[in-house]
Amino acid sequence: MFTLLHGHTIFYDDILDSDTFGSVHCRRTMTNSNPPLLQNYGVLRQQGETPAVQQRDCGNTGAAMEECQLPLIDLEGLWSESEEERLACASAIGRASSKWGFFQVVNHGIRPELLSEMRREQVKLFETPFERKAACQLLNNSYRWGTPTATCPKEFSWSEAFHIPLTKVSEEACYGEFCSLREVMQEFAKAMSNLARLLAGVLAECLGHQKGVFDEICDESTCFLRLNRYPPCPLSPEVFGLVPHTDSDFLTILYQDEVGGLQLMKDSKWVAVKPNKDTLIVNIGDLFQAWSNNEYKSVEHQVMANAIKERYSIAYFLCPSYDAFIGSCSEPTIYKKFTFGEYRQQVQEDVKKTGHKVGLPRFLLQTTQ
């Protein structure tokens, strides 16, 4: 779930034709837009790309898209007194990570009340006027919106986000007037971190390695939370809420609402993920695919904007320290050994040059290309 959002790199966040939308509607939308996404998107539209081109690129042609139910795993099995049940649960996690790269979990140990509290605080935060969000340096000055590096509509994300390193979650000065957010976010971040490390350990054990193999290299300095809001979009379903991408981490845990819009690539076609607000979604990142020697799959995914409803989600990203080496856990290895910092820099350079992330193919050994 990594992209480029307003003016900053994040790893892996009006001027329309009056005959299409009506000048009165456009002016009203421009005035009320929070943030002013329509204005930026309109400029890109004027630069030459038509909606039909974008639809071909994103696979959204207006036809009814197949809706998929992600593998559902009850994590209660991991704490069972029965070894058979523990192994069966771990096996289901490994199997979903290999075949889908995505799965959803229940009985994950995070209190429903905490999730609800976090969502309420998130909504309150994003309801702040755009000018204040952009200027008041909230949450480590982490507010991002749109995609200013985009050169055409297919590179633009109709969304806004706060991108918060875990090291800043406890800092009182980051919250300003949002005092109640700090306590909730601290508990939420800790719970998501514990769950991410548990799942990473299970996945390591599935491949015959110690469950604590990632404990030393994954630290709070590079793990982070991203609070997302996808405002209603009058151009939907033409527009991405979040452009197609893979995540540049070990794994991601997503808490989303019931609105939907998440899509993933399955069997060479885009499928819509059926939303379930009572589960958490887990997806494999690039680093886990490299470490597992392609056993686990980092799957391309995207979010499509909704014409009527706003969508909220919160993602936790499990990342290693920048100098941590990512090598494959088995031989013969498919990828060159690289540090997270090197990977991060390469993604930045590719996005800057081409408008999109290349990712793991850059690190394939020559013999496998």
Side-chain angles (χ1 to χ4, degrees):
M1 294 173 188
F2 291 148
T3 187
L4 287 183
L5 296 175
H6 195 68
H8 297 260
T9 303
I10 299 177
F11 290 87
Y12 25 118
D13 119 87
D14 290 350
I15 309 173
L16 300 170
D17 296 335
S18 59
D19 58 347
T20 304
F21 299 101
S23 58
V24 173
H25 173 87
C26 288
R27 285 196 297 270
R28 184 184 300 117
T29 306
M30 287 174 64
T31 302
N32 297 336
S33 180
N34 177 13
L37 296 164
L38 191 57
Q39 180 177 0
N40 283 23
Y41 187 84
V43 171
L44 295 174
R45 278 273 296 270
Q46 285 191 329
Q47 292 175 355
E49 186 180 47
T50 65
V53 173
Q54 183 176 346
Q55 288 174 354
R56 286 197 300 272
D57 286 342
C58 73
N60 187 2
T61 60
M65 178 175 288
E66 178 184 347
E67 189 174 57
C68 72
Q69 183 81 42
L70 294 178
L72 179 62
I73 301 174
D74 187 343
L75 295 187
E76 197 167 41
L78 293 179
W79 296 282
S80 173
E81 295 181 358
S82 166
E83 182 179 6
E84 183 179 354
E85 290 182 5
R86 293 196 302 272
L87 291 175
C89 185
S91 178
I93 293 170
R95 186 165 56 250
S97 299
S98 297
K99 293 185 176 181
W100 283 80
F102 271 78
F103 56 94
Q104 54 187 337
V105 296
V106 293
N107 291 320
H108 40 66
I110 301 180
R111 295 186 299 110
E113 297 83 5
L114 174 59
L115 296 174
S116 298
E117 290 169 13
M118 188 65 222
R119 178 54 41 77
R120 283 194 296 270
E121 293 293 339
Q122 178 185 15
V123 171
K124 190 190 310 181
L125 179 66
F126 279 111
E127 285 177 343
T128 304
F130 169 67
E131 292 75 14
R132 297 202 57 222
K133 285 183 289 192
C136 67
Q137 298 188 335
L138 277 171
L139 297 175
N140 195 43
N141 195 28
S142 64
Y143 180 64
R144 314 284 184 258
W145 63 276
T147 315
T149 57
T151 59
C152 58
K154 68 181 180 180
E155 297 172 3
F156 188 81
S157 292
W158 192 279
S159 55
E160 58 179 332
F162 286 91
H163 176 83
I164 310 111
L166 257 60
T167 51
K168 299 295 182 179
V169 167
S170 62
E171 291 189 8
E172 189 173 353
C174 289
Y175 292 87
E177 66 191 79
F178 296 92
C179 303
S180 59
L181 174 61
R182 179 170 175 257
E183 183 178 345
V184 175
M185 190 178 292
Q186 281 183 284
E187 185 179 354
F188 180 84
K190 182 178 180 180
M192 292 287 265
S193 178
N194 290 340
L195 179 58
R197 291 172 185 274
L198 170 68
L199 294 171
V202 169
L203 288 166
E205 286 186 313
C206 285
L207 297 183
H209 293 263
Q210 295 294 319
K211 64 180 180 181
V213 66
F214 302 116
D215 287 348
E216 291 187 4
I217 64 172
C218 292
D219 59 41
E220 289 190 351
S221 66
T222 47
C223 296
F224 61 93
L225 287 173
R226 192 168 73 212
L227 280 58
N228 302 303
R229 174 180 175 259
Y230 301 89
C233 175
L235 310 179
S236 178
E238 173 191 321
V239 180
F240 292 118
L242 194 60
V243 296
H245 65 287
T246 58
D247 289 353
S248 303
D249 60 352
F250 276 113
L251 62 81
T252 305
I253 303 177
L254 182 73
Y255 170 46
Q256 65 168 354
D257 61 20
E258 71 285 354
V259 173
L262 176 63
Q263 300 174 356
L264 59 86
M265 187 64 71
K266 176 67 173 169
D267 299 327
S268 301
K269 64 180 180 181
W270 288 107
V271 295
V273 175
K274 186 175 182 179
N276 184 344
K277 64 182 180 61
D278 297 320
T279 69
L280 296 177
I281 291 178
V282 181
N283 68 276
I284 299 298
D286 298 343
L287 304 186
F288 231 138
Q289 176 168 325
W291 183 86
S292 69
N293 226 11
N294 277 4
E295 177 64 28
Y296 301 142
K297 303 299 188 295
S298 180
V299 174
E300 190 175 26
H301 51 286
Q302 63 189 22
V303 176
M304 300 309 298
N306 188 293
I308 301 172
K309 297 180 179 180
E310 62 184 351
R311 176 179 183 265
Y312 287 95
S313 68
I314 307 175
Y316 174 90
F317 299 90
L318 180 66
C319 304
S321 58
Y322 293 134
D323 59 356
F325 276 99
I326 310 301
S328 296
C329 69
S330 60
E331 297 290 343
T333 181
I334 297 172
Y335 300 99
K336 295 179 285 188
K337 197 172 184 180
F338 56 87
T339 67
F340 180 48
E342 291 169 342
Y343 192 76
R344 183 177 185 268
Q345 182 177 1
Q346 185 64 61
V347 170
Q348 282 181 303
E349 291 175 359
D350 287 335
V351 171
K352 185 176 181 180
K353 291 178 183 178
T354 69
H356 67 275
K357 170 185 170 181
V358 177
L360 283 178
R362 289 287 192 202
F363 294 86
L364 285 168
L365 288 172
Q366 195 67 33
T367 55
T368 63
Q369 291 180 339

